[in-house]
Amino acid sequence: MPGTDAREAARTVTGSLEPPVHLPHLPELPARGPGADLIGRTTGLLVELYAHLEPSGWRISDRPGRDTRRARAWLGEDLDALEEFTQDYAGALKVAVTGPWTLAAMLERRSGEAMLGDAGACRDLTASLAEGVRAHLAELRRRVPGARPVLQLDEPSLTAVLTGRVPTASGYRTHPAVDRAVVRDGLAELVAAAGDAPVVVHSCAPDVPFALLRRAGATGVSFDAALLTERDDEAIGTAVEGGTALFAGVVPGAGASGTALSDPAGSVMGVRSLWRRLGLSPGLLAESVVITPACGLAGASPAYAREALAHCVRAARSLADNPE
């Protein structure tokens, strides 16, 4: 979400609690700076691993320092705000953390190279993150007793990890592709750590590995619908038939004018077209698809962010009321 006010963001995402068509969540506010960003926020959750900020990015530390304390403070502030606006709420409540492979691609070892280049470091990182996720979900349940947590793993670098396109520190080479079975097992460890909480894996890159995510145990896959191509159809169809939910980013995250959000039915036209191509039952749409903004909402104005979320609710209703 845009802005720096945790209470205002929490009010926005919980202001129209209308289950089952609205999915409230713990907002992230990267505009506050280091520690509130994608990587820094999740480093604050790690157990017995710490990180600090270097000019080149986040790097593993021997002990918690100022950057770790700041990341944890931002998260605590966000949880306080969410707790305030979810009094007596009962229903699904989503929290997001950076997934193990994007974290490994972006977090540096002491040498300055990405943790991705050391298989042992990746295993330690995944185990630490799994412990942090368990504690995070327990804290959410403590603060919002009626919540049914949904865990989102943000994996924008997942495709690059699988295809060997993560650059080394020098920028002259790339790290070798990680074996798909190893990637699957790392994600499966996080799915196991979530316990009975459904896990959604978010990837905003092309070539989302739907089949791999399904085998890792993901309940849902979140993606930017504008990046799909027809070569994704078979994998998507198999995933839906296997019970995987699709979190379709069809509402522009930023840079759109108000007129772009005037037609909820038009926003989900591509979803209906996909369903027809796959030959799936229209009745499955409301059960299988969640309408979301695409990436980039943090770069929009607060007013646009509020309207985009409300538009998602209207578009979802349109899809449910008229699936064909």
Short mmCIF file of all heavy atoms in Angstrom, two decimals, residues 50-101:
data_model
loop_
_atom_site.label_atom_id
_atom_site.label_comp_id
_atom_site.label_asym_id
_atom_site.label_seq_id
_atom_site.Cartn_x
_atom_site.Cartn_y
_atom_site.Cartn_z
N TYR A 50 20.26 -12.65 11.12
CA TYR A 50 20.01 -11.22 11.17
C TYR A 50 20.59 -10.58 9.90
O TYR A 50 21.42 -11.17 9.21
CB TYR A 50 20.66 -10.61 12.42
CG TYR A 50 20.35 -11.39 13.67
CD1 TYR A 50 21.31 -12.25 14.21
CD2 TYR A 50 19.11 -11.32 14.26
CE1 TYR A 50 21.02 -13.00 15.35
CE2 TYR A 50 18.81 -12.07 15.40
CZ TYR A 50 19.76 -12.91 15.93
OH TYR A 50 19.48 -13.65 17.03
N ALA A 51 20.14 -9.37 9.63
CA ALA A 51 20.62 -8.69 8.43
C ALA A 51 20.74 -7.20 8.69
O ALA A 51 20.05 -6.65 9.55
CB ALA A 51 19.68 -8.95 7.25
N HIS A 52 21.64 -6.57 7.97
CA HIS A 52 21.76 -5.12 8.03
C HIS A 52 21.85 -4.60 6.60
O HIS A 52 22.11 -5.34 5.65
CB HIS A 52 23.00 -4.71 8.83
CG HIS A 52 24.30 -5.09 8.17
ND1 HIS A 52 24.85 -6.36 8.25
CD2 HIS A 52 25.16 -4.36 7.40
CE1 HIS A 52 25.98 -6.39 7.57
NE2 HIS A 52 26.19 -5.20 7.05
N LEU A 53 21.64 -3.31 6.46
CA LEU A 53 21.60 -2.69 5.13
C LEU A 53 22.96 -2.16 4.73
O LEU A 53 23.59 -1.40 5.48
CB LEU A 53 20.57 -1.57 5.12
CG LEU A 53 20.13 -1.04 3.76
CD1 LEU A 53 19.50 -2.15 2.92
CD2 LEU A 53 19.15 0.11 3.92
N GLU A 54 23.42 -2.59 3.56
CA GLU A 54 24.65 -2.08 2.93
C GLU A 54 24.24 -1.26 1.70
O GLU A 54 23.09 -1.36 1.24
CB GLU A 54 25.54 -3.24 2.50
CG GLU A 54 26.12 -4.05 3.64
CD GLU A 54 27.35 -3.36 4.24
OE1 GLU A 54 27.90 -2.44 3.58
OE2 GLU A 54 27.75 -3.74 5.35
N PRO A 55 25.15 -0.47 1.13
CA PRO A 55 24.80 0.25 -0.11
C PRO A 55 24.32 -0.68 -1.23
O PRO A 55 23.50 -0.30 -2.06
CB PRO A 55 26.11 0.94 -0.49
CG PRO A 55 26.81 1.14 0.81
CD PRO A 55 26.46 -0.07 1.64
N SER A 56 24.81 -1.93 -1.21
CA SER A 56 24.42 -2.88 -2.26
C SER A 56 23.12 -3.61 -1.94
O SER A 56 22.57 -4.30 -2.81
CB SER A 56 25.53 -3.92 -2.45
OG SER A 56 25.83 -4.57 -1.22
N GLY A 57 22.63 -3.51 -0.70
CA GLY A 57 21.40 -4.20 -0.33
C GLY A 57 21.50 -4.81 1.06
O GLY A 57 22.39 -4.48 1.85
N TRP A 58 20.61 -5.73 1.35
CA TRP A 58 20.56 -6.37 2.67
C TRP A 58 21.59 -7.48 2.75
O TRP A 58 21.72 -8.29 1.84
CB TRP A 58 19.16 -6.91 2.94
CG TRP A 58 18.18 -5.82 3.22
CD1 TRP A 58 17.39 -5.18 2.32
CD2 TRP A 58 17.91 -5.23 4.49
NE1 TRP A 58 16.64 -4.21 2.94
CE2 TRP A 58 16.93 -4.23 4.28
CE3 TRP A 58 18.39 -5.44 5.79
CZ2 TRP A 58 16.43 -3.45 5.33
CZ3 TRP A 58 17.89 -4.67 6.83
CH2 TRP A 58 16.93 -3.69 6.60
N ARG A 59 22.32 -7.53 3.88
CA ARG A 59 23.41 -8.49 4.06
C ARG A 59 23.31 -9.14 5.44
O ARG A 59 22.94 -8.50 6.42
CB ARG A 59 24.76 -7.80 3.91
CG ARG A 59 25.96 -8.73 4.01
CD ARG A 59 27.25 -7.99 3.69
NE ARG A 59 27.27 -7.52 2.30
CZ ARG A 59 28.28 -6.82 1.75
NH1 ARG A 59 29.33 -6.50 2.50
NH2 ARG A 59 28.23 -6.45 0.49
N ILE A 60 23.64 -10.43 5.49
CA ILE A 60 23.60 -11.20 6.73
C ILE A 60 24.55 -10.59 7.78
O ILE A 60 25.66 -10.16 7.45
CB ILE A 60 23.98 -12.66 6.45
CG1 ILE A 60 22.83 -13.36 5.73
CG2 ILE A 60 24.31 -13.41 7.73
CD1 ILE A 60 21.57 -13.49 6.56
N SER A 61 24.08 -10.55 9.04
CA SER A 61 24.87 -10.00 10.14
C SER A 61 25.10 -11.07 11.20
O SER A 61 24.40 -12.08 11.25
CB SER A 61 24.12 -8.83 10.79
OG SER A 61 23.86 -7.79 9.88
N ASP A 62 26.05 -10.79 12.09
CA ASP A 62 26.32 -11.69 13.21
C ASP A 62 25.30 -11.53 14.33
O ASP A 62 25.05 -12.47 15.09
CB ASP A 62 27.72 -11.43 13.78
CG ASP A 62 28.82 -11.80 12.80
OD1 ASP A 62 28.64 -12.81 12.09
OD2 ASP A 62 29.83 -11.08 12.75
N ARG A 63 24.73 -10.34 14.45
CA ARG A 63 23.83 -10.06 15.57
C ARG A 63 22.80 -9.03 15.11
O ARG A 63 23.02 -8.31 14.14
CB ARG A 63 24.61 -9.56 16.78
CG ARG A 63 25.39 -8.28 16.50
CD ARG A 63 26.24 -7.87 17.69
NE ARG A 63 27.27 -8.87 17.98
CZ ARG A 63 28.45 -8.88 17.39
NH1 ARG A 63 28.76 -7.96 16.47
NH2 ARG A 63 29.35 -9.81 17.70
N PRO A 64 21.69 -8.92 15.82
CA PRO A 64 20.70 -7.91 15.44
C PRO A 64 21.23 -6.51 15.70
O PRO A 64 21.87 -6.25 16.71
CB PRO A 64 19.50 -8.23 16.34
CG PRO A 64 20.08 -8.98 17.50
CD PRO A 64 21.25 -9.74 16.96
N GLY A 65 20.99 -5.62 14.76
CA GLY A 65 21.42 -4.24 14.89
C GLY A 65 20.27 -3.28 14.67
O GLY A 65 19.09 -3.65 14.77
N ARG A 66 20.60 -2.05 14.36
CA ARG A 66 19.60 -1.01 14.19
C ARG A 66 18.60 -1.36 13.10
O ARG A 66 17.39 -1.14 13.25
CB ARG A 66 20.31 0.32 13.84
CG ARG A 66 19.36 1.48 13.59
CD ARG A 66 20.13 2.70 13.15
NE ARG A 66 20.84 2.45 11.90
CZ ARG A 66 21.67 3.32 11.33
NH1 ARG A 66 21.91 4.48 11.92
NH2 ARG A 66 22.28 3.03 10.20
N ASP A 67 19.08 -1.93 11.99
CA ASP A 67 18.18 -2.22 10.88
C ASP A 67 17.18 -3.33 11.24
O ASP A 67 16.01 -3.27 10.85
CB ASP A 67 18.98 -2.62 9.64
CG ASP A 67 19.83 -1.47 9.11
OD1 ASP A 67 19.38 -0.32 9.20
OD2 ASP A 67 20.94 -1.74 8.61
N THR A 68 17.65 -4.34 11.98
CA THR A 68 16.75 -5.40 12.43
C THR A 68 15.70 -4.83 13.38
O THR A 68 14.50 -5.14 13.26
CB THR A 68 17.53 -6.51 13.13
OG1 THR A 68 18.41 -7.14 12.19
CG2 THR A 68 16.59 -7.58 13.69
N ARG A 69 16.14 -4.00 14.33
CA ARG A 69 15.20 -3.41 15.29
C ARG A 69 14.17 -2.54 14.58
O ARG A 69 12.99 -2.55 14.95
CB ARG A 69 15.97 -2.59 16.34
CG ARG A 69 16.81 -3.46 17.28
CD ARG A 69 17.32 -2.64 18.46
NE ARG A 69 18.28 -1.63 18.03
CZ ARG A 69 19.59 -1.83 17.95
NH1 ARG A 69 20.10 -3.02 18.23
NH2 ARG A 69 20.40 -0.86 17.58
N ARG A 70 14.60 -1.81 13.56
CA ARG A 70 13.67 -0.95 12.84
C ARG A 70 12.65 -1.78 12.07
O ARG A 70 11.45 -1.47 12.08
CB ARG A 70 14.45 -0.04 11.88
CG ARG A 70 13.56 0.91 11.08
CD ARG A 70 14.41 1.96 10.39
NE ARG A 70 15.54 1.37 9.68
CZ ARG A 70 16.59 2.06 9.25
NH1 ARG A 70 16.65 3.36 9.47
NH2 ARG A 70 17.57 1.46 8.60
N ALA A 71 13.10 -2.85 11.42
CA ALA A 71 12.17 -3.72 10.68
C ALA A 71 11.12 -4.31 11.61
O ALA A 71 9.92 -4.36 11.28
CB ALA A 71 12.94 -4.84 9.97
N ARG A 72 11.56 -4.77 12.78
CA ARG A 72 10.62 -5.34 13.73
C ARG A 72 9.67 -4.29 14.29
O ARG A 72 8.50 -4.57 14.57
CB ARG A 72 11.40 -6.04 14.85
CG ARG A 72 12.13 -7.29 14.37
CD ARG A 72 13.02 -7.89 15.45
NE ARG A 72 13.62 -9.14 14.98
CZ ARG A 72 14.55 -9.82 15.65
NH1 ARG A 72 14.99 -9.35 16.82
NH2 ARG A 72 15.04 -10.95 15.17
N ALA A 73 10.16 -3.07 14.46
CA ALA A 73 9.30 -2.00 14.96
C ALA A 73 8.22 -1.64 13.96
O ALA A 73 7.05 -1.44 14.32
CB ALA A 73 10.15 -0.77 15.29
N TRP A 74 8.59 -1.56 12.66
CA TRP A 74 7.58 -1.28 11.63
C TRP A 74 6.51 -2.36 11.63
O TRP A 74 5.32 -2.07 11.56
CB TRP A 74 8.23 -1.23 10.25
CG TRP A 74 9.08 -0.05 9.90
CD1 TRP A 74 10.28 -0.09 9.24
CD2 TRP A 74 8.82 1.34 10.12
NE1 TRP A 74 10.78 1.17 9.06
CE2 TRP A 74 9.89 2.07 9.58
CE3 TRP A 74 7.77 2.02 10.72
CZ2 TRP A 74 9.96 3.46 9.63
CZ3 TRP A 74 7.83 3.42 10.79
CH2 TRP A 74 8.90 4.12 10.25
N LEU A 75 6.94 -3.62 11.69
CA LEU A 75 5.97 -4.72 11.67
C LEU A 75 5.07 -4.67 12.90
O LEU A 75 3.86 -4.90 12.80
CB LEU A 75 6.70 -6.07 11.59
CG LEU A 75 5.81 -7.32 11.53
CD1 LEU A 75 4.88 -7.27 10.32
CD2 LEU A 75 6.67 -8.58 11.49
N GLY A 76 5.64 -4.39 14.05
CA GLY A 76 4.83 -4.27 15.26
C GLY A 76 3.80 -3.16 15.14
O GLY A 76 2.64 -3.32 15.57
N GLU A 77 4.20 -2.04 14.54
CA GLU A 77 3.27 -0.93 14.34
C GLU A 77 2.13 -1.36 13.40
O GLU A 77 0.95 -1.02 13.64
CB GLU A 77 4.02 0.26 13.74
CG GLU A 77 3.17 1.50 13.53
CD GLU A 77 3.98 2.66 12.97
OE1 GLU A 77 5.04 2.96 13.55
OE2 GLU A 77 3.55 3.24 11.95
N ASP A 78 2.47 -2.10 12.36
CA ASP A 78 1.44 -2.56 11.42
C ASP A 78 0.47 -3.52 12.10
O ASP A 78 -0.75 -3.46 11.86
CB ASP A 78 2.10 -3.26 10.23
CG ASP A 78 2.92 -2.30 9.38
OD1 ASP A 78 2.65 -1.09 9.43
OD2 ASP A 78 3.83 -2.76 8.68
N LEU A 79 0.99 -4.42 12.93
CA LEU A 79 0.13 -5.37 13.63
C LEU A 79 -0.76 -4.66 14.64
O LEU A 79 -1.94 -5.02 14.81
CB LEU A 79 0.98 -6.44 14.31
CG LEU A 79 1.59 -7.49 13.39
CD1 LEU A 79 2.69 -8.27 14.11
CD2 LEU A 79 0.53 -8.44 12.85
N ASP A 80 -0.23 -3.64 15.31
CA ASP A 80 -1.04 -2.86 16.24
C ASP A 80 -2.23 -2.23 15.52
O ASP A 80 -3.37 -2.26 16.00
CB ASP A 80 -0.21 -1.75 16.88
CG ASP A 80 0.81 -2.27 17.90
OD1 ASP A 80 0.66 -3.43 18.33
OD2 ASP A 80 1.73 -1.51 18.22
N ALA A 81 -1.96 -1.65 14.34
CA ALA A 81 -3.02 -0.99 13.58
C ALA A 81 -4.05 -1.99 13.09
O ALA A 81 -5.26 -1.75 13.16
CB ALA A 81 -2.42 -0.21 12.41
N LEU A 82 -3.57 -3.13 12.60
CA LEU A 82 -4.50 -4.15 12.12
C LEU A 82 -5.38 -4.66 13.25
O LEU A 82 -6.59 -4.84 13.09
CB LEU A 82 -3.73 -5.31 11.49
CG LEU A 82 -4.59 -6.41 10.86
CD1 LEU A 82 -5.26 -5.89 9.59
CD2 LEU A 82 -3.75 -7.64 10.55
N GLU A 83 -4.78 -4.89 14.41
CA GLU A 83 -5.54 -5.36 15.57
C GLU A 83 -6.64 -4.37 15.93
O GLU A 83 -7.77 -4.76 16.26
CB GLU A 83 -4.60 -5.58 16.74
CG GLU A 83 -5.26 -6.13 17.99
CD GLU A 83 -4.28 -6.35 19.12
OE1 GLU A 83 -3.09 -6.00 18.97
OE2 GLU A 83 -4.71 -6.86 20.17
N GLU A 84 -6.31 -3.09 15.87
CA GLU A 84 -7.29 -2.05 16.22
C GLU A 84 -8.52 -2.11 15.33
O GLU A 84 -9.65 -1.93 15.80
CB GLU A 84 -6.63 -0.67 16.11
CG GLU A 84 -7.58 0.48 16.38
CD GLU A 84 -6.91 1.84 16.18
OE1 GLU A 84 -5.67 1.88 16.04
OE2 GLU A 84 -7.64 2.85 16.18
N PHE A 85 -8.30 -2.37 14.03
CA PHE A 85 -9.42 -2.29 13.08
C PHE A 85 -10.04 -3.66 12.77
O PHE A 85 -10.87 -3.77 11.87
CB PHE A 85 -8.95 -1.62 11.78
CG PHE A 85 -8.69 -0.16 11.93
CD1 PHE A 85 -7.40 0.32 12.08
CD2 PHE A 85 -9.74 0.75 11.97
CE1 PHE A 85 -7.16 1.68 12.24
CE2 PHE A 85 -9.52 2.10 12.14
CZ PHE A 85 -8.21 2.58 12.27
N THR A 86 -9.65 -4.70 13.50
CA THR A 86 -10.25 -6.02 13.28
C THR A 86 -10.86 -6.57 14.56
O THR A 86 -10.98 -7.78 14.74
CB THR A 86 -9.21 -7.02 12.74
OG1 THR A 86 -8.04 -7.01 13.59
CG2 THR A 86 -8.81 -6.70 11.31
N GLN A 87 -11.25 -5.68 15.45
CA GLN A 87 -11.91 -6.12 16.68
C GLN A 87 -13.18 -6.91 16.33
O GLN A 87 -13.99 -6.46 15.52
CB GLN A 87 -12.28 -4.91 17.54
CG GLN A 87 -11.08 -4.14 18.07
CD GLN A 87 -10.22 -4.98 19.01
OE1 GLN A 87 -10.72 -5.59 19.94
NE2 GLN A 87 -8.92 -5.00 18.74
N ASP A 88 -13.31 -8.09 16.91
CA ASP A 88 -14.48 -8.96 16.71
C ASP A 88 -14.58 -9.51 15.29
O ASP A 88 -15.60 -10.10 14.92
CB ASP A 88 -15.79 -8.23 17.06
CG ASP A 88 -15.80 -7.74 18.49
OD1 ASP A 88 -15.32 -8.48 19.37
OD2 ASP A 88 -16.26 -6.60 18.73
N TYR A 89 -13.52 -9.33 14.48
CA TYR A 89 -13.56 -9.88 13.11
C TYR A 89 -13.32 -11.38 13.15
O TYR A 89 -12.48 -11.88 13.90
CB TYR A 89 -12.50 -9.22 12.24
CG TYR A 89 -12.36 -9.86 10.86
CD1 TYR A 89 -13.35 -9.70 9.91
CD2 TYR A 89 -11.26 -10.65 10.55
CE1 TYR A 89 -13.25 -10.30 8.66
CE2 TYR A 89 -11.14 -11.24 9.30
CZ TYR A 89 -12.14 -11.06 8.36
OH TYR A 89 -12.04 -11.66 7.13
N ALA A 90 -14.06 -12.09 12.33
CA ALA A 90 -13.85 -13.52 12.17
C ALA A 90 -13.85 -13.83 10.68
O ALA A 90 -14.81 -13.51 9.97
CB ALA A 90 -14.94 -14.33 12.88
N GLY A 91 -12.79 -14.42 10.19
CA GLY A 91 -12.71 -14.74 8.78
C GLY A 91 -11.28 -14.79 8.30
O GLY A 91 -10.33 -14.70 9.09
N ALA A 92 -11.12 -14.92 7.00
CA ALA A 92 -9.78 -15.01 6.41
C ALA A 92 -9.05 -13.69 6.57
O ALA A 92 -9.63 -12.61 6.42
CB ALA A 92 -9.90 -15.38 4.94
N LEU A 93 -7.76 -13.77 6.86
CA LEU A 93 -6.92 -12.58 7.04
C LEU A 93 -5.53 -12.91 6.50
O LEU A 93 -4.88 -13.84 6.98
CB LEU A 93 -6.85 -12.22 8.53
CG LEU A 93 -6.12 -10.94 8.92
CD1 LEU A 93 -6.76 -9.73 8.26
CD2 LEU A 93 -6.15 -10.77 10.44
N LYS A 94 -5.10 -12.18 5.49
CA LYS A 94 -3.88 -12.53 4.77
C LYS A 94 -2.68 -11.74 5.27
O LYS A 94 -2.78 -10.53 5.51
CB LYS A 94 -4.07 -12.29 3.26
CG LYS A 94 -2.86 -12.70 2.41
CD LYS A 94 -3.20 -12.72 0.94
CE LYS A 94 -3.39 -11.34 0.36
NZ LYS A 94 -2.10 -10.59 0.29
N VAL A 95 -1.55 -12.43 5.41
CA VAL A 95 -0.27 -11.78 5.68
C VAL A 95 0.72 -12.24 4.62
O VAL A 95 0.63 -13.36 4.12
CB VAL A 95 0.27 -12.10 7.09
CG1 VAL A 95 -0.64 -11.53 8.16
CG2 VAL A 95 0.45 -13.60 7.29
N ALA A 96 1.66 -11.37 4.28
CA ALA A 96 2.63 -11.70 3.23
C ALA A 96 4.05 -11.62 3.77
O ALA A 96 4.37 -10.73 4.57
CB ALA A 96 2.47 -10.74 2.04
N VAL A 97 4.88 -12.56 3.35
CA VAL A 97 6.32 -12.51 3.63
C VAL A 97 7.04 -12.82 2.33
O VAL A 97 6.49 -13.45 1.42
CB VAL A 97 6.74 -13.52 4.72
CG1 VAL A 97 5.97 -13.30 6.01
CG2 VAL A 97 6.59 -14.95 4.25
N THR A 98 8.28 -12.40 2.23
CA THR A 98 9.08 -12.74 1.07
C THR A 98 9.38 -14.23 1.08
O THR A 98 9.76 -14.78 2.11
CB THR A 98 10.40 -11.95 1.07
OG1 THR A 98 10.11 -10.56 1.25
CG2 THR A 98 11.14 -12.14 -0.24
N GLY A 99 9.19 -14.89 -0.06
CA GLY A 99 9.43 -16.32 -0.14
C GLY A 99 10.92 -16.65 -0.05
O GLY A 99 11.79 -15.78 -0.22
N PRO A 100 11.24 -17.91 0.21
CA PRO A 100 12.64 -18.28 0.46
C PRO A 100 13.56 -18.06 -0.72
O PRO A 100 14.74 -17.77 -0.54
CB PRO A 100 12.54 -19.77 0.82
CG PRO A 100 11.25 -20.24 0.21
CD PRO A 100 10.33 -19.07 0.31
N TRP A 101 13.05 -18.19 -1.95
CA TRP A 101 13.94 -18.09 -3.11
C TRP A 101 14.20 -16.65 -3.52
O TRP A 101 15.32 -16.31 -3.91
CB TRP A 101 13.40 -18.94 -4.26
CG TRP A 101 13.42 -20.38 -3.84
CD1 TRP A 101 12.36 -21.17 -3.52
CD2 TRP A 101 14.60 -21.17 -3.60
NE1 TRP A 101 12.79 -22.40 -3.10
CE2 TRP A 101 14.15 -22.44 -3.14
CE3 TRP A 101 15.96 -20.95 -3.73
CZ2 TRP A 101 15.04 -23.47 -2.82
CZ3 TRP A 101 16.84 -21.97 -3.40
CH2 TRP A 101 16.39 -23.21 -2.96
#
